[in-house]
Amino acid sequence: MRENLRDSGIDRKRVEEVLSQGEQCFRLKLENNLSPARTAENLELAEIIDIQAIQPLMDDFYKLTHIPIGLNDLKGNVLAGVGWQDICTRFHRVHPEACKHCVESNIKLSSGVSPGEFKMYKCKNNMWDIVTPLMVGGQHVGDIYAGQFFFEDEPVDYELFRSQARKYGFNEKEYMAALEKVPRLSREAVDTGMGFFMTFASILSQLSYSNIKLTRALAERDTLVNALQENREDFARAQAVGNIGSWRLDVRKNELTWSDENHLIFGIPKGTPLTYETFLSTIHPDDREYVDKEWKAGLEGEPYDIEHRIIVDGKIKWVREKAYLECDKDRVVIGGFGITQDVTERKKAEEALRISNIYNRSLIEASPDPLVTIGPDGKITDVNNSTETVTGYSRDELIGTDFSDYFTEPEKAKEGYRHVFQEGLVRDYPLEIQHKDGRITPVLYNASVYKDESDEVIGVFAAARDITALKMAEKALKKAHDNLEEKVKVRTSELEEAYKALIESEKSLAEAQRMAHLGNWDWNIVTNKLYWSDESCRIFGFDLKKFGATYDSFLSYVHPDDRDYVDNAVKEALNGKPFSIDHRIISADGEGRIVHAHGEVIFNEENIPVRMRGTVQNITERKKAEEALEKIQETHIKEIHHRIKNNLQVISSLLSLEAEKFNDEKMLESFRESQNRVASMALIHEELYKGNELDTLDFAAYLQKLTADLLGSYSVQRDNISLKLDLEQIYLDMDTAIPLGIIVNELVSNSLKHAFPAEEAGEIHISFCKKENFAANYDIPVPSPSCKGKDSFHYILTVEDNGKGIPEEIEFTNTDSLGLQLVNLLVEQIGGCIELKKNHGTKFTIRFRN
């Protein structure tokens, strides 16, 4: 093939130079068209060949050989060509049927030619054509055609062409003139030319395929470079997000390379020359020796994973360093790669958690109540000092043992523990703790579960409140209560008799109610006719014959003040709502009566009211009886308060008589305190007896009387100790008033007895008002822990004096004083809370609901 090219006089180098001139443009064209998803077999020939570079080469070849040549794709499109004859361009390619023959010849008759060979055929328009395939990457993408000629040794059938001119309607003269211009070639010239065509096709195929591979390689390279750049950017972003930098150290050159994030962590600008010594200079002086020691140990093969401080812009940071060493073939360390993580925030959180744990432990140890944590298996996991004290065992002895072993009733303790796991908590569960020496401490057991971060229950936190003092106070109170019960036993029987009499009166009233007359009526709404029974007429006091039985006439007998009320009830009944009401009437004889009326409406199928019927009952006597009964009940209740007051006064007198048998001053003082307590309760019943309200008490008036009596009881000179009262008129029920009266009695008595020694002058101040009024007129004291979260309290009572104050060593919530024990107990009874301030005297603040 190459020999044929040389013999033809065509310079192969010239061919290659011409083809390479457009290589840059051709490669750019390929880069634009050849994506990773496209391959050579699905590319069009026009996309992979540079037509502008090939056309001049074809022109030169035609000048030399006079052989027409063209480059076609597989669809029959002519991409480049030279020497095309007029018979083809002006005639055959213009007429549709003749052109169809041309394309069909190119596609069908030229098929089946192997690479490196050519095929000669006569087209369907009766001229010779020669074809050789154009291959790129082993794929057939187009063909190189030479044609529209006759052989010199072949006679031309002119008659055949004349018939073609007539068949297609060509101008025969012009058509035959174009036929004469068709080249006549020798077979040797054709063979030589085809040698060039095949070489030309081979060179074109090789260059095109090489450029395709090169373009694809460049595209793959660009893809890899872009992916690498994206990975580097992602890596940098990941380091920034995680506050993690990376570094590499060349041990032999002592050169240190840092990532961008590492520069940010250490606060050293990029471009600064870095060495191991540069790194050491940033470390906190107290950590420098430690870090250097660990790095040198790492060079010897020890793991290098440490945390230390660095100084950046005068501020301390905490970092974590981890390194991976690199060795040469002789296992000599030549470098290292590592990471640096900024863990400053984590260190701050750990320090805050450590301080919080210390603080929480201090709170636990400060509690006077035994506190215990218990695992799911019932074993103790931790205790405070109070637990050690109440059990007699050390913390180490207690941890790991069954918590129920330290109670007098282990099974009851276990039952309470199970209840905590079932319900989530237990409140005021009574148990007894047994000391190792046998002593018993009664407690109220309070516990709740605690959970881990996954909301799973991991144990129980329990507290045991010592109620020894409370038990003693209850015992003393029960004794006083029993004595009181005995004293009023006789009076109780009298009250029972009175109650029985009241029941009999109610039965008589019920009998009178059953005997009351009850009439009925029926109102035809359509005709406005009203039917009344005889009893109804008697109730209204008219003669049915003389009475105009209509709705309007009925309303005329209703009391004028009740007429709209009755009329509205009837109208609502017409809308489907039955009525049952009491109202007044004026009978025909002018007598005022009270009746109970009941009515309901009947509707037809269209839900239209057509009839109303009901009853009317004269309840005048019943109403009178009810009013009389209310007066009787009021009288009885007042009598009860009077008798209870009398009984309490009897008890006070008995206490006074008993006191005369003793000479001991402390004993006499105890009797006086008991008398004052009884008197405070008697005073409440006296106020209720005198007042208009039967079950609530004007507590301000009561306090004025109570404090005046107390001053008289202790023989206090008014010019020596003054009493200041700021009291809002508030009514309290007995369940609140009685305990609160005893509390005031105890606190004022304490001030009178202890606050002003040696007849010193002073002032006792009592204030009582609603919470919002207190806030408007006084400074609300800061609530103690026991009162925090008590925003629902309605009232505030303060009792204060400017005396010498309660000694600091006395804890009023845990004292031997029966009076203060009683105060704490009664505050708890009314659901309130109490606070004490000891500066500038003594001030008790009590918050409670009514």
Side-chain angles (χ1 to χ4, degrees):
M1 195 182 328
R2 295 179 184 274
E3 292 298 326
N4 290 336
L5 184 60
R6 281 195 295 271
D7 293 342
S8 67
I10 301 300
D11 187 356
R12 175 185 173 90
K13 185 175 182 182
R14 165 66 177 156
V15 174
E16 292 176 349
E17 286 177 354
V18 170
L19 290 175
S20 65
Q21 285 177 356
E23 180 178 352
Q24 186 64 35
C25 179
F26 172 62
R27 185 177 301 157
L28 180 60
K29 186 175 181 180
L30 280 176
E31 288 176 354
N32 293 332
N33 291 306
L34 190 61
S35 66
R38 302 189 68 189
T39 56
E41 59 267 23
N42 56 32
L43 286 174
E44 297 291 343
L45 179 60
E47 295 175 328
I48 61 176
I49 206 133
D50 190 354
I51 303 302
Q52 294 179 352
I54 292 173
Q55 186 63 52
L57 187 61
M58 287 184 171
D59 294 340
D60 292 343
F61 176 76
Y62 180 73
K63 291 176 183 177
L64 180 66
T65 64
H66 300 291
I67 299 175
I69 185 171
L71 179 62
N72 291 17
D73 61 18
L74 297 181
K75 295 179 181 179
N77 298 315
V78 179
L79 304 181
V82 65
W84 292 93
Q85 299 299 306
D86 288 344
I87 195 170
C88 193
T89 59
R90 289 181 55 200
F91 294 97
H92 295 161
R93 289 277 178 177
V94 173
H95 193 277
E97 187 175 350
C99 181
K100 181 179 179 181
H101 289 327
C102 293
V103 174
E104 191 176 328
S105 297
N106 291 344
I107 294 175
K108 291 184 178 180
L109 299 179
S110 63
S111 62
V113 184
S114 300
E117 299 180 357
F118 67 89
K119 179 180 180 181
M120 185 169 61
Y121 63 92
K122 184 173 283 189
C123 75
K124 289 189 176 184
N125 289 319
N126 296 298
M127 287 185 292
W128 287 103
D129 284 324
I130 303 173
V131 62
T132 185
L134 182 62
M135 312 294 291
V136 175
Q139 298 294 325
H140 183 197
V141 295
D143 297 292
I144 297 176
Y145 288 91
Q148 302 153 17
F149 68 89
F150 296 110
F151 285 110
E152 290 178 339
D153 57 357
E154 177 185 30
V156 178
D157 187 348
Y158 288 99
E159 190 57 36
L160 173 64
F161 285 97
R162 287 191 182 93
S163 66
Q164 284 188 170
R166 291 191 296 271
K167 178 180 179 181
Y168 299 131
F170 298 149
N171 184 299
E172 184 175 337
K173 183 177 179 181
E174 293 178 355
Y175 182 70
M176 296 306 292
L179 178 66
E180 288 299 326
K181 294 179 181 180
V182 174
R184 270 67 170 176
L185 303 176
S186 66
R187 294 186 182 275
E188 181 181 4
V190 170
D191 289 341
T192 302
M194 289 312 299
F196 167 78
F197 293 154
M198 289 185 292
T199 302
F200 177 67
S202 175
I203 294 172
L204 192 62
S205 297
Q206 291 175 9
L207 288 175
S208 298
Y209 185 57
S210 297
N211 280 323
I212 288 175
K213 290 196 293 182
L214 177 60
T215 302
R216 182 178 286 114
L218 291 174
E220 291 174 353
R221 182 206 65 187
D222 291 343
T223 300
L224 291 175
V225 170
N226 291 337
L228 180 60
Q229 182 62 29
E230 288 178 0
N231 286 339
R232 285 177 176 170
E233 292 173 358
D234 289 344
F235 182 63
R237 281 193 289 268
Q239 286 193 348
V241 171
N243 255 357
I244 300 175
S246 60
W247 52 266
R248 182 176 294 280
L249 176 64
D250 186 329
V251 174
R252 293 170 297 186
K253 298 180 180 179
N254 192 22
E255 290 181 355
L256 190 59
T257 305
W258 280 354
S259 68
D260 292 349
E261 188 63 23
N262 229 47
H263 280 282
L264 289 174
I265 290 173
F266 283 87
I268 296 178
K270 292 176 64 175
T272 303
L274 299 173
T275 64
Y276 176 67
E277 288 70 26
T278 307
F279 160 69
L280 277 181
S281 68
T282 66
I283 297 173
H284 192 284
D286 295 343
D287 295 351
R288 199 166 292 159
E289 183 179 348
Y290 160 71
V291 173
D292 188 49
K293 177 183 175 183
E294 290 297 313
W295 174 249
K296 289 175 179 176
L299 294 177
E300 299 296 327
E302 296 294 326
Y304 183 75
D305 189 351
I306 62 173
E307 292 182 356
H308 61 83
R309 293 167 293 176
I310 61 175
I311 298 177
V312 180
D313 296 331
K315 296 180 180 179
I316 296 176
K317 284 186 178 182
W318 276 92
V319 296
R320 179 192 177 193
E321 298 273 359
K322 189 170 184 179
Y324 305 89
L325 298 180
E326 299 171 344
C327 302
D328 61 12
K329 62 181 181 179
D330 298 323
R331 303 189 64 79
V332 175
V333 176
I334 59 175
F337 171 79
I339 60 169
T340 304
Q341 183 178 14
D342 188 341
V343 295
T344 306
E345 293 304 318
R346 193 199 76 197
K347 282 291 187 178
K348 289 179 180 178
E350 289 175 352
E351 179 63 16
L353 180 61
R354 186 185 69 82
I355 293 173
S356 176
N357 288 336
I358 294 173
Y359 175 74
N360 292 337
R361 189 69 200 183
S362 299
L363 290 179
I364 291 172
E365 293 299 346
S367 172
D369 294 332
L371 302 177
V372 183
T373 56
I374 308 166
D377 57 357
K379 304 295 184 183
I380 295 174
T381 56
D382 200 4
V383 300
N384 67 346
N385 291 334
S386 297
T387 307
E388 295 179 296
T389 302
V390 78
T391 62
Y393 295 96
S394 68
R395 182 170 180 269
D396 291 338
E397 291 175 314
L398 290 167
I399 291 176
T401 62
D402 196 302
F403 85 101
S404 63
D405 293 344
Y406 303 96
F407 295 95
T408 57
E409 298 178 86
E411 287 304 317
K412 184 179 178 182
K414 289 179 180 178
E415 180 60 30
Y417 180 72
R418 285 192 290 270
H419 183 80
V420 178
F421 266 96
Q422 291 170 359
E423 304 297 331
L425 56 83
V426 69
R427 289 287 178 264
D428 293 338
Y429 190 74
L431 290 171
E432 292 181 337
I433 298 176
Q434 185 165 6
H435 194 276
K436 68 188 297 186
D437 62 7
R439 283 184 286 122
I440 304 298
T441 302
V443 297
L444 288 179
Y445 174 73
N446 291 276
S448 61
V449 296
Y450 61 94
K451 303 177 181 180
D452 61 14
E453 295 175 351
S454 304
D455 206 34
E456 294 291 330
V457 175
I458 58 175
V460 168
F461 182 79
R465 187 175 58 181
D466 186 346
I467 57 171
T468 304
L470 181 61
K471 288 283 188 182
M472 292 174 62
E474 286 178 349
K475 193 182 231 181
L477 189 60
K478 185 176 183 304
K479 185 176 180 181
H481 180 268
D482 290 343
N483 291 334
L484 183 61
E485 285 290 321
E486 189 64 28
K487 297 297 181 182
V488 298
K489 193 172 184 182
V490 177
R491 298 298 184 190
T492 303
S493 63
E494 293 177 359
L495 291 174
E496 289 176 353
E497 291 299 322
Y499 179 72
K500 288 178 182 178
L502 181 61
I503 293 298
E504 288 301 320
S505 298
E506 289 179 348
K507 287 181 179 179
S508 299
L509 180 60
E511 184 66 21
Q513 289 177 346
R514 283 192 294 273
M515 294 173 64
H517 296 294
L518 182 67
N520 69 291
W521 52 267
D522 193 325
W523 176 31
N524 188 321
I525 300 172
V526 178
T527 63
N528 197 25
K529 293 286 182 69
L530 189 60
Y531 165 77
W532 287 66
S533 68
D534 292 343
E535 189 61 35
S536 296
C537 293
R538 280 192 291 271
I539 290 173
F540 279 80
F542 53 72
D543 186 349
L544 185 60
K545 294 179 181 179
K546 298 180 181 178
F547 174 63
T550 64
Y551 176 67
D552 291 335
S553 59
F554 154 71
L555 278 180
S556 67
Y557 283 88
V558 177
H559 191 287
D561 294 342
D562 293 353
R563 202 165 288 161
D564 289 340
Y565 168 61
V566 173
D567 189 43
N568 289 333
V570 171
K571 289 177 180 177
E572 288 184 5
L574 293 175
N575 291 322
K577 181 180 179 182
F579 67 84
S580 182
I581 61 173
D582 294 345
H583 64 89
R584 293 168 293 174
I585 64 170
I586 299 176
S587 66
D589 56 7
E591 182 184 349
R593 295 175 183 171
I594 302 173
V595 297
H596 175 74
H598 174 79
E600 58 184 27
V601 176
I602 299 173
F603 296 86
N604 63 12
E605 294 80 1
E606 289 80 25
N607 201 31
I608 298 174
V610 294
R611 177 171 291 183
M612 180 183 289
R613 58 191 179 187
T615 60
V616 60
Q617 183 182 16
N618 185 354
I619 60 170
T620 306
E621 294 303 321
R622 193 188 79 187
K623 285 290 185 181
K624 291 178 180 179
E626 287 176 352
E627 290 175 3
L629 181 60
E630 287 177 2
K631 291 180 179 180
I632 292 172
Q633 288 175 327
E634 181 178 342
T635 302
H636 278 298
I637 292 172
K638 285 194 169 226
E639 180 64 21
I640 290 170
H641 286 305
H642 183 61
R643 292 183 180 184
I644 291 175
K645 185 265 294 183
N646 289 343
N647 289 337
L648 290 172
Q649 286 178 342
V650 169
I651 294 171
S652 179
S653 299
L654 290 173
L655 289 171
S656 180
L657 290 173
E658 287 294 322
E660 292 177 0
K661 299 177 183 179
F662 300 94
N663 295 322
D664 183 87
E665 188 62 33
K666 281 188 80 174
M667 185 63 70
L668 291 174
E669 183 62 32
S670 296
F671 273 99
R672 179 190 292 177
E673 291 175 354
S674 298
Q675 280 183 282
N676 288 340
R677 291 164 188 154
V678 173
S680 69
M681 291 187 285
L683 183 58
I684 287 176
H685 289 283
E686 181 179 1
E687 292 296 316
L688 289 170
Y689 172 70
K690 291 179 179 179
N692 294 324
E693 298 293 333
L694 300 178
D695 55 354
T696 58
L697 175 70
D698 182 350
F699 199 69
Y702 166 73
L703 284 181
Q704 290 174 344
K705 183 104 171 47
L706 175 64
T707 52
D709 289 349
L710 283 173
L711 288 174
S713 172
Y714 283 91
S715 303
V716 175
Q717 298 298 325
R718 291 187 178 273
D719 58 351
N720 190 31
I721 296 177
S722 62
L723 180 65
K724 182 180 178 183
L725 301 177
D726 289 332
L727 306 175
E728 183 178 336
Q729 187 178 38
I730 296 171
Y731 285 85
L732 301 178
D733 59 54
M734 290 181 60
D735 289 341
T736 303
I738 291 175
L740 204 61
I742 297 174
I743 290 170
V744 174
N745 175 81
E746 295 298 325
L747 297 178
V748 173
S749 296
N750 276 348
S751 294
L752 293 173
K753 289 189 297 182
H754 305 296
F756 311 105
E759 300 299 323
E760 290 183 4
E763 181 183 86
I764 299 174
H765 181 197
I766 301 175
S767 67
F768 177 53
C769 60
K770 291 183 180 178
K771 177 183 175 183
E772 57 269 21
N773 294 339
F774 192 95
N777 297 289
Y778 309 99
D779 292 330
I780 296 182
V782 177
S784 65
S786 64
C787 283
K788 284 192 175 175
K790 306 292 188 180
D791 290 337
S792 60
F793 286 149
H794 303 148
Y795 306 107
I796 297 179
L797 171 68
T798 63
V799 179
E800 60 180 312
D801 61 58
N802 59 357
K804 65 178 184 179
I806 296 177
E808 289 296 329
E809 65 271 13
I810 293 179
E811 175 58 48
F812 86 97
T813 59
N814 187 17
T815 178
D816 294 334
S817 168
L818 178 59
L820 289 179
Q821 290 178 9
L822 188 58
V823 168
N824 284 300
L825 179 64
L826 293 175
V827 169
E828 184 175 346
Q829 179 179 318
I830 64 174
C833 67
I834 184 169
E835 303 166 73
L836 169 63
K837 277 193 174 182
K838 299 180 181 180
N839 52 332
H840 306 298
T842 304
K843 181 177 181 179
F844 287 92
T845 302
I846 300 166
R847 293 175 169 86
F848 66 97
R849 304 175 186 86
N850 185 19

